[in-house]
Amino acid sequence: MSQALALFTLLTVSLTTDDATIRVSATTMAHTLDDALLAPMANASAFTGFMLSASTAWGFYRHWWVLGKLLITLAQLYLGIFVLSGALNGAVIAAKAGNPTPTPVPLVVGTALMAGAIAFQAWLSVAKPWNRTPWTPERPPKLPTAPTWVFAAIVIVPFCDIALSVWTGRPMPAVSLVVLTAWLITRKVRQPVSVAR
């Protein structure tokens, strides 16, 4: 959330300053922050959330608050990768070309909404509001907690992806996707089959 707020601040400075040098600097710093820090951290955060849902009794869709966090995370990843990053690149080009308003207002509003959505997700994690989803059986079987090595992987894998991002120069959640997919398959195979009565 602090990175999203920093991005919002830099883009607001770019939008509101009359100084062309500050405008170019703020827009360029916002783009660098997004590329070098926000994108890899967003991937790491999403991975840890997905893995914790897959590795604990909470699951992905048993509770409305978990499902809400999942949907917000997917929306933020999509908007951040395909909309925000491209718009930031365009804003940097516009600022360097001397455009007096290189940062579009929707981009500034979008970063504020991103920070707000992250705050809402934090509240969901603490408050755990609402009941179970209708897809959860009345007496659902308790999902087993994952072995310790899975939780160790939840901590270690994001560092591997960050190293891969530094090496390739692009945020790349490759190791995260492989580990998440492998764990979901392994968990499905290990999960006891419930008998209908």
Side-chain angles (χ1 to χ4, degrees), residues 24-97:
V24 171
S25 297
T27 309
T28 304
M29 285 188 293
H31 188 259
T32 301
L33 175 69
D34 180 59
D35 267 357
L37 195 59
L38 188 57
M41 291 296 117
N43 289 334
S45 179
F47 167 74
T48 58
F50 295 152
M51 283 297 288
L52 287 171
S53 287
S55 303
T56 63
W58 293 111
F60 287 102
Y61 58 87
R62 290 178 164 218
H63 302 272
W64 282 112
W65 68 272
V66 177
L67 185 58
K69 285 183 64 170
L70 174 67
L71 295 175
I72 291 169
T73 298
L74 293 174
Q76 285 183 316
L77 284 174
Y78 171 78
L79 292 172
I81 292 168
F82 298 109
V83 177
L84 178 69
S85 290
L88 275 171
N89 191 39
V92 169
I93 293 168
K96 288 180 179 177

